[in-house]
Amino acid sequence: MAHRPLADPEDEDHDELIATLPCKPPTPLMRRMRLYRGGWFPEKWLPAIMAFRRRFEARDGDVVVASLPKCGTTWLKALAFATAARGTYPPPPVAGGDDEGNRRHPLLRLNPHECVPFLESVYSTMEEESKLDATPSPRLLSTHLPYSVLPASITDSSRCKIIYVCRQPKDMLISFWHFINRDKSRDVSSSYVWESVRECTYFGSPIWDHILGYWNVSKVKPDNVLILKYEDMKRNPTENVEKIAEFIGQPFSNSEKEASIVDNIVELCSFEKMKALGASMAGSQKVISSEFPNDSFFRKGAIGDWVNHVTPEMAESLDKLLSEKFDGSGFTFM
Ligand SMILES: Nc1ncnc2c1ncn2[C@@H]1O[C@H](COP(=O)(O)OS(=O)(=O)O)[C@@H](OP(=O)(O)O)[C@H]1O
């Protein structure tokens, strides 16, 4: 007798499935959270995440920028966009004037999040989903989701390339703490955020799990997953831009190198330039589901700001926790 294949639970109504997932009650920072495929997510986000898993169709040449929030996402989006689109939009020369040609570059008018959409947000509206389908290849996309939540269309085929950026968790968590507290009127209990600093978690999910999810795949599929580190990008921006270009199959030619195209990209996406632009656009349209002002993505852009906020004891305990969790994986922040 032929066996009937088991129904895929995600084919059922999202709401019914979500209601069965383990949950945590709301906190002052977060609405109700649900455990899904090994990670905690605000319940409200799950329909879009599930729709993304079900409906996204990867195409040859798609490049996905992946990260945990506050690890350099905005910067990497800018660098990857400027690199991939340099044929259509040459980066303005470092010493270039402020003429119309130089102002034509999208990154001088738009926040990088507007140039590279978050897939999990795209699937929250039919309009955004249709826009994504109509986007010509090659597409530059992004996600904050862990590898375990990505659709099979990305993980089981070799069509997509993923560039993952990670950052020393102490700096990432302090950056997040500032981001949450930037709007004093929200009156979010900072003790809740401090709990996540102490536990080294993001919305209840371990930070090391997110990093190791991508890291482990990069070891077996190096042509599909490239790991970058915020600290290394700060120290060697040129080298990292060259790495990005090679990884996406658009290496810089000798004539481009001679014309200082790499330097121009680095300058266009430098913290100082992007912060100044973000400040000048602060009052204009908000980005990422119209939620965040342009300037909220640029604060200090430094390595090691955690020393101003985290006690040496807390830092030591975080370092110990992380070295245990990364032990044997081959991953380090150096
Ligand atoms: N161009 C450039 N160069 C270096 N650093 C930069 C740049 N742009 C943003 N930043 C810093 O990155 C931090 C924000 O992280 P994300 O972009 O990942 O945030 S988000 O996920 O998009 O919300 C946040 O870090 P902190 O300054 O430590 O808070 C930003 O200031």
Side-chain angles (χ1 to χ4, degrees):
M1 198 176 80
H3 287 284
R4 259 183 68 207
L6 284 173
D8 179 348
E10 291 183 24
D11 284 346
E12 291 167 16
D13 186 56
H14 289 156
D15 293 343
E16 274 178 38
L17 174 62
I18 291 168
T20 66
L21 298 173
C23 84
K24 278 189 203 166
T27 68
L29 177 62
M30 258 303 126
R31 299 137 273 192
R32 193 205 302 265
M33 306 292 285
R34 295 272 183 187
L35 184 64
Y36 177 61
R37 299 186 73 86
W40 288 98
F41 301 94
E43 184 179 74
K44 209 177 131 186
W45 296 357
L46 283 171
I49 292 173
M50 290 175 176
F52 165 45
R53 278 180 53 79
R54 282 232 315 249
R55 299 207 287 267
F56 178 73
E57 282 176 35
R59 295 188 205 150
D60 287 332
D62 280 348
V63 174
V64 179
V65 167
S67 61
L68 268 169
K70 307 299 148 202
C71 289
T73 320
T74 318
W75 187 19
L76 178 57
K77 281 186 180 190
L79 290 172
F81 179 85
T83 303
R86 68 189 190 269
T88 314
Y89 300 111
V94 173
D98 189 29
D99 59 31
E100 203 188 322
N102 288 342
R103 272 183 276 123
R104 228 186 105 236
H105 200 286
L107 289 172
L108 296 177
R109 291 181 276 110
L110 302 169
N111 181 292
H113 291 292
E114 293 172 281
C115 302
V116 187
F118 277 113
L119 285 161
E120 51 272 35
S121 304
V122 163
Y123 283 83
S124 59
T125 70
M126 291 309 289
E127 196 191 337
E128 290 297 311
E129 195 178 331
S130 311
K131 247 205 284 181
L132 179 74
D133 289 341
T135 304
S137 293
R139 298 179 300 184
L140 190 51
L141 310 162
S142 72
T143 186
H144 279 323
L145 294 176
Y147 192 82
S148 60
V149 177
L150 297 184
S153 173
I154 296 179
T155 57
D156 294 359
S157 84
S158 294
R159 316 182 98 188
C160 254
K161 285 186 181 268
I162 298 175
I163 311 178
Y164 182 78
V165 62
C166 53
R167 185 180 191 186
Q168 169 57 252
K170 296 195 289 282
D171 278 338
M172 175 237 158
L173 288 160
I174 291 304
S175 176
F176 180 58
W177 183 83
H178 280 287
F179 188 74
I180 293 298
N181 288 290
R182 75 192 187 286
D183 179 358
K184 303 291 176 232
S185 64
R186 289 182 70 197
D187 192 25
V188 169
S189 155
S190 58
S191 65
Y192 181 78
V193 186
W194 276 114
E195 197 180 307
S196 72
V197 178
R198 239 188 325 271
E199 294 175 343
C200 202
T201 55
Y202 176 72
F203 286 164
S205 303
I207 287 174
W208 57 88
D209 276 356
H210 203 282
I211 298 171
L212 287 175
Y214 285 90
W215 169 254
N216 288 334
V217 180
S218 78
K219 288 198 288 190
V220 285
K221 291 166 78 176
D223 292 339
N224 290 99
V225 181
L226 171 70
I227 306 285
L228 300 180
K229 296 171 187 169
Y230 180 90
E231 293 73 18
D232 189 45
M233 286 165 62
K234 285 286 289 186
R235 292 188 193 106
N236 307 301
T238 307
E239 228 174 70
N240 279 276
V241 171
E242 287 176 352
K243 251 192 222 173
I244 293 169
E246 265 177 42
F247 181 73
I248 64 173
Q250 296 183 35
F252 292 100
S253 63
N254 284 338
S255 62
E256 283 183 307
K257 286 183 186 167
E258 275 159 28
S260 303
I261 300 297
V262 188
D263 295 341
N264 296 345
I265 289 175
V266 169
E267 170 64 16
L268 175 68
C269 305
S270 70
F271 178 74
E272 293 70 23
K273 185 132 197 161
M274 287 177 62
K275 186 172 167 110
L277 268 163
S280 70
M281 298 191 293
S284 62
Q285 201 193 348
K286 293 185 177 179
V287 293
I288 313 184
S289 314
S290 306
E291 247 188 283
F292 307 107
N294 276 301
D295 61 345
S296 62
F297 299 94
F298 313 102
R299 190 184 62 92
K300 256 191 173 175
I303 300 175
D305 186 42
W306 63 266
V307 291
N308 298 313
H309 304 275
V310 176
T311 62
E313 295 73 32
M314 201 163 162
E316 196 182 317
S317 117
L318 276 172
D319 290 343
K320 186 163 168 282
L321 175 70
L322 287 169
S323 84
E324 280 165 19
K325 298 297 178 184
F326 289 130
D327 187 34
S329 69
F331 179 84
T332 66
F333 278 104
M334 304 306 281

